[in-house]
Amino acid sequence: MNTPDPAPVHPAWLPPEAFRAIGGRRTLVCGEGLLVQTVYDEVAQACARYGGTVTRQRVGAGTGGRAGASGGPYDLVLALGTGGPLPAGAAEVVAEAAGPGPDADGDELGPEGFALVRRHGVTVVLADEPAGLLYGLFEVVRLGAAAFGADRPARRHRPAMRLRLVSHWDNVDVHPRMGQVERGYAGGSIFWRDGAPRHDAERVRGYARLLAACGFNAMTVNNVNVHGTATRLLTDRLDDVAEIAELVRPYGIRVHLSVNFAAPVALGELPTADPLDGDVRAWWAKAARRLHETIPDLGGFMVKADSEGQPGPYRYGRSHADGANMLADALAPYGGVVHWRAFVYNHHQDWRDRSVDRARAAYDHFTPFDGQFRENVILQVKHGPMDFQVREPVSPVLAAMPRTRLAVEVQATQEYTGQQRHVCYLGPSWSEVLRFAPWGEDGPTVASVVAGTTGHGAPTPSTGGDLPAPAGGGIVVVSNVGDDHYWTGHPLAQANLYAVGRLGWAPDLDPVAVLDEWIELTFTPSATGDPELLRGTLHALLDDSWHTYERYTAPLGVGFMVRPNTHYGPDVDGYEYSRWGTYHFADRDGVGVDRTRATGTGFTGQYPQPWADRYESLERCPDELLLFFHHVPYQHVLQSGSTVIQHIYDSHFAGAEEVAGMARRWAGIAGSGLVDPALHARVTERLAEQLRSAEEWRDKINTYFLRKSGVPDAHDRPIY
Ligand code: GCV
C-alpha cells in the first residue's frame, strides 16, 4: 500500500472559516439517513471550532414521528420534511418553507431540492430527502452571515440538471505517453498510482465534500481510454472502485465506471465483443450484477467506443445504438445509466480530401439513431463539434436528437486553454454554451435540452412539432484535479471546477457572480487586510481571462494552432498536414475552413434555423467564429470594421499586453497578507510562464500571418 502524501491539502472553497457563521450558532438537525449524518457532522465540526451548539433530532423508534421536539431556541434548523413535531418557533417557519406544495410548474422539491427561509430569527432549510438537506447546508455556508441577517422569503432551490458528473481521465497504470492522468495538469491521480489504488481516504473524502459543495452528484474514477489494469476494475479489481464509492457516498456522490467496450475479449473470456451475441450480452449482464452486488448505488458506465482507436461496435458491423443498448440492458435492472460518448470521428484523414470534415462527424454518426437508444442511455456530446478549443460553435448534435437523452461534456482540465499554467476562467464560456438557443432567441437553450425540459411546451423543431422531452442527461465535466497541493496546479483554476458545478445546478447564474462566490468562500474569510482589494485583484485577473487567452492564441474560431501531442504553446502548422482533421487552410490569400452549404463541407446545414443561415452568411456569421465557418481573404472586413489580418495583429498584441497587466496587478498584492505567501508565489510563477507563452503566441502567430499575407501591421509594431 502506498503511503498517503502527508502534506495537508488546500481547503479550496471550504476553509474552516467559511463555516464561521454556522459554527457560532445554535443548530437543530432533524431527520435520518447517511447524508443527514453528514450534515450533522459538518455542523458539529464547525461548532467545535466556533463555540456553537448542534442538536440532532431523530425519528423516534416505533412512534412514527420525532422522539419529541428538542428545546431550542435555534438559529438554524435543517430538517427533513418527513419528520414530525419541531420546537416552538421553528415549526411555523418550517411551515412557510414547506410552502403551498408543488410549484406552479408542478415540480416538488425532489430528491436534491431544498427550501430556505428566514423568519423570526430562525433560518430554516427544509428538504424532502437527505441530499437536499446537504445541498441546503452548503447554500447556508455560501450565504455566510447573510443567512442569519434580515428575513428571507421562502425560496425553493432545485438543480436544473439531474446528473452533474465529473469525469476523471485518471489512468490506473501509468500510460507511457499520457502518464497517470491523461491531459492532467495537477500532478498525479488522487485515486491511482502505478496500477494500484492510493488509499488516500482523506483526500478522496475531501474531494467529494468539495464536489457536493458546488453541486456535483456523480463522478467516474477512471479514464475513458480504458487500458490495462483499468479494464479489470469491472471484474477482479472491483473492490478498488467500491472503496472509492464508500468514501464519496456520504457526500451524495455516486461513482460511475469507464469501461472498455471489448472487455470480454481484452480479459480473455470471450472470442468476441459483438453486442448482439448472446454470450456477450450474458457476460455484461453478469458483470453488472456483480458490480451492483458490490456497489449497490453504482451510477453506471461511461464508454468511448470506436473513437481514437478505442474498440466499439463498428468492429462487428453493429451500430452505436446496438452497442449502447446492450450495456444499457445489462444495467437496467439496477437503475444504472450508460454515458455513451459522441466523440467519434475519422482520425486518419487526408487533408487534401475536402469532402471529410471532422466537425460534421458526431452529427453524421449519431443523428440517424435518434429514438433508437434505450431510456437509460445518455449520449454525451462535447460542447463543440471539434475538441474543446478556446472558441467553437455549440455542437449541432445538441439540437438534433429530440428523442435521445443528451448530456453536454465540457473540459475543466485546460488541455487547450493553457494547461493550468495560464489563468483562464472558463465560466463565461460554459455559460454561453448553456444559454445558447439553437432554435433562436425565444426557443429552448442547450441547458434545457440537457436538463430534459425542452418538452414543456417548447417546440423541438427538428421534428416540426411538440415532443415530450426525454429525461435530461445533464452535464459532464472533465476534471482538472490531481494530487497537487492546490488540487488544480494553478490555484486559480479551482474556480473552474467550482463554477461548472454551480452552472450545472443553475445554468442561469452569472459566471462572474459565481466567481465572486468562489472568491468569497476561498479567500475572504482568512484574508487579513482589505478584502475589497483582494476581490478586485482576483476579478481583474479572472473575469475576462478566457477572452484574453482567445486573443493571444488561435484567431476568430479557427482553433488548433497548438503543438501536436502536448497541445501546449503555438505551432501554427503543427496539425495542418496530419491525419487528425484539424486544419485552418491558411495560404497566401486567406485563412479559415469553408463549412458552408454553398461551397464548403455543408456543416452549417447541421444547424436549425436561424443559425444554419446565420453561420452560412459571410456578412452575418459572428466575428468570433468567422474562420470556423468561412475561408476568407486576409483583407476581409469583419463586422467590427477591422480586417481579418489587422484583427489578428491587434488581438495578439492586446492579449499579451493584458497578461502583462494581470502579472502587474498580482504583484501589487505581494506581501499584503491578503493571500497565503505560498499561494501568491505559485500564482506569480505561473503568471510569468503565461506571459512568456502569450508573447510566444503573439510573435509566432503574427509572424506567420505577416509572412503568409504580406500585409503589414497598420500600426507598424515589431513583429517577430
Ligand atoms: C481521453 C482529446 C484528447 C484526448 C482525449 C480525447 C477524448 O482528443 O486529446 O486525450 O482522450 O479528447 O475526449 O476522448
Side-chain angles (χ1 to χ4, degrees):
M1 189 196 290
N2 293 308
T3 330
D5 184 344
V9 179
H10 188 256
W13 47 91
L14 290 180
E17 294 85 352
F19 287 78
R20 188 193 303 270
I22 295 175
R25 291 187 161 79
R26 300 156 301 183
T27 298
L28 175 68
V29 176
C30 309
E32 297 290 347
L34 179 65
L35 273 64
V36 179
Q37 185 62 41
T38 304
V39 169
Y40 174 81
D41 292 344
E42 286 284 343
V43 178
Q45 205 178 334
C47 290
R49 174 178 282 259
Y50 293 109
T53 57
V54 57
T55 308
R56 177 80 190 271
Q57 188 168 267
R58 297 168 181 280
V59 175
T63 65
R66 290 195 174 95
S70 327
Y74 297 103
D75 307 302
L76 173 64
V77 176
L78 296 149
L80 281 190
T82 48
L86 282 162
E92 301 79 65
V93 186
V94 165
E96 186 169 346
D103 280 4
D105 60 8
D107 290 332
E108 307 277 351
L109 283 177
E112 297 179 311
F114 61 91
L116 186 110
V117 61
R118 178 162 176 84
R119 281 278 182 278
H120 317 302
V122 190
T123 301
V124 172
V125 173
L126 185 73
D128 288 343
E129 296 188 34
L133 215 56
L134 183 66
Y135 291 121
L137 169 71
F138 286 125
E139 180 69 12
V140 177
V141 172
R142 241 186 310 277
L143 290 169
F148 303 97
D151 280 0
R152 293 180 166 264
R155 191 178 149 207
R156 287 156 183 269
H157 301 250
R158 273 186 310 260
M161 301 176 202
R162 267 195 273 168
L163 259 167
R164 305 172 304 278
L165 183 146
V166 183
S167 166
H168 278 261
W169 288 355
D170 297 23
N171 293 318
V172 180
D173 306 309
V174 177
H175 186 273
R177 264 189 323 112
M178 293 295 174
Q180 191 77 69
V181 181
E182 179 153 351
R183 310 301 180 187
Y185 311 106
S189 165
I190 61 172
F191 305 123
W192 315 105
R193 188 187 280 160
D194 297 330
R198 287 186 58 154
H199 302 297
D200 190 347
E202 197 186 331
R203 199 187 296 254
V204 173
R205 206 180 293 112
Y207 181 51
R209 181 169 178 257
L210 289 172
L211 291 183
C214 63
F216 289 106
N217 63 3
M219 69 179 183
T220 57
V221 295
N222 62 310
N223 192 358
V224 291
N225 291 324
V226 185
H227 353 248
T229 307
T231 305
R232 290 165 44 214
L233 295 179
L234 190 59
T235 54
D236 56 314
R237 296 289 292 271
L238 191 49
D239 288 345
D240 299 347
V241 184
E243 179 184 310
I244 299 171
E246 182 88 27
L247 292 168
V248 302
R249 189 172 292 123
Y251 286 95
I253 307 291
R254 285 174 83 171
V255 163
H256 296 234
L257 194 61
S258 297
V259 298
N260 176 345
F261 185 79
V265 179
L267 295 170
E269 298 193 13
L270 292 177
T272 176
D274 179 350
L276 299 192
D277 181 286
D279 290 343
V280 173
R281 298 177 72 82
W283 190 92
W284 282 103
K286 186 173 158 210
R289 188 172 63 246
R290 271 177 28 112
L291 268 167
H292 286 271
E293 277 161 15
T294 316
I295 311 170
D297 58 352
L298 185 98
F301 296 151
M302 187 175 288
V303 193
K304 174 175 176 178
D306 290 315
S307 169
E308 299 187 331
Q310 293 297 305
Y314 285 168
R315 186 174 297 180
Y316 307 98
R318 310 299 184 193
S319 71
H320 283 280
D322 293 332
N325 289 344
M326 182 263 297
L327 296 176
D329 290 344
L331 290 170
Y334 317 102
V337 293
V338 176
H339 281 89
W340 190 269
R341 297 179 82 230
F343 184 59
V344 176
Y345 67 99
N346 173 4
H347 69 288
H348 292 289
Q349 201 184 319
D350 180 339
W351 64 269
R352 291 165 302 185
D353 178 0
R354 296 291 188 102
S355 69
V356 182
D357 177 5
R358 175 164 161 181
R360 293 189 57 108
Y363 183 105
D364 288 342
H365 280 282
F366 286 95
T367 56
F369 297 102
D370 186 32
Q372 294 183 33
F373 291 100
R374 299 275 192 269
E375 281 183 5
N376 59 332
V377 173
I378 292 170
L379 190 67
Q380 182 172 315
V381 184
K382 286 195 182 184
H383 73 78
M386 296 297 278
D387 191 10
F388 301 134
Q389 298 305 289
V390 65
R391 175 76 72 168
E392 293 187 37
V394 165
S395 169
V397 178
L398 291 163
M401 300 190 66
R403 298 176 190 84
T404 304
R405 280 178 86 173
L406 296 171
V408 64
E409 181 181 317
V410 299
Q411 197 186 39
T413 195
Q414 292 172 233
E415 175 177 0
Y416 295 100
T417 49
Q419 304 197 348
Q420 283 134 259
R421 290 184 242 181
H422 298 215
V423 177
C424 186
Y425 174 53
L426 291 162
S429 148
W430 297 325
S431 170
E432 274 190 24
V433 169
L434 293 168
R435 291 173 190 224
F436 181 72
W439 297 279
E441 271 180 15
D442 300 329
T445 58
V446 165
S448 64
V449 169
V450 300
T453 51
T454 48
H456 289 226
T460 44
S462 24
T463 58
D466 281 351
L467 261 187
I475 190 164
V476 174
V477 53
V478 182
S479 165
N480 60 354
V481 156
D483 68 359
D484 167 61
H485 172 70
Y486 295 104
W487 297 96
T488 49
H490 199 308
L492 304 186
Q494 288 178 6
N496 280 329
L497 189 61
Y498 180 84
V500 71
R502 294 286 290 140
L503 291 172
W505 180 283
D508 288 339
L509 287 174
D510 168 8
V512 173
V514 170
L515 188 59
D516 208 50
E517 283 177 7
W518 173 76
I519 292 170
E520 186 67 31
L521 288 166
T522 307
F523 291 101
T524 316
S526 47
T528 51
D530 177 3
E532 287 317 308
L533 173 62
L534 176 60
R535 189 192 302 278
T537 304
L538 288 164
H539 277 294
L541 257 72
L542 284 152
D543 285 4
D544 203 35
S545 53
W546 167 51
H547 287 125
T548 296
Y549 187 84
E550 181 180 29
R551 283 180 199 115
Y552 63 76
T553 56
L556 301 168
V558 80
F560 280 103
M561 289 181 171
V562 287
R563 285 197 192 105
N565 305 321
T566 64
H567 298 169
Y568 188 75
D571 183 347
V572 186
D573 281 338
Y575 274 117
E576 194 54 16
Y577 307 101
S578 73
R579 61 202 173 104
W580 295 95
T582 51
Y583 314 120
H584 53 69
F585 298 116
D587 58 21
R588 66 179 186 181
D589 300 319
V591 56
V593 191
D594 184 354
R595 293 190 160 110
T596 62
R597 307 192 281 290
T599 53
T601 69
F603 172 68
T604 59
Q606 294 186 342
Y607 287 88
Q609 295 296 5
W611 293 102
D613 283 353
R614 178 130 190 238
Y615 290 144
E616 177 82 4
S617 156
L618 196 51
E619 292 72 37
R620 293 196 300 128
C621 180
D623 280 353
E624 68 273 13
L625 287 169
L626 186 73
L627 302 183
F628 193 94
F629 287 104
H630 296 272
H631 185 87
V632 296
Y634 291 111
Q635 300 284 20
H636 173 83
V637 180
L638 296 166
Q639 293 176 39
S640 69
S642 182
T643 61
V644 165
I645 188 70
Q646 194 55 43
H647 172 91
I648 293 174
Y649 298 145
D650 290 347
S651 60
H652 284 79
F653 281 113
E657 192 44 52
E658 282 157 24
V659 178
M662 285 154 68
R664 280 195 300 273
R665 188 85 195 234
W666 186 250
I669 61 161
S672 64
L674 285 169
V675 292
D676 172 56
L679 186 143
H680 191 276
R682 173 79 74 95
V683 174
T684 301
E685 160 228 308
R686 304 240 157 179
L687 280 167
E689 166 54 18
Q690 181 170 5
L691 182 56
R692 184 210 61 74
S693 176
E695 288 174 347
E696 185 188 4
W697 272 99
R698 176 196 66 196
D699 295 344
K700 287 251 164 71
I701 298 280
N702 284 348
T703 301
Y704 179 94
F705 284 105
L706 174 64
R707 177 82 178 266
K708 281 263 159 165
S709 69
V711 181
D713 169 30
H715 307 295
D716 202 22
R717 289 162 288 197
I719 289 183
Y720 184 63

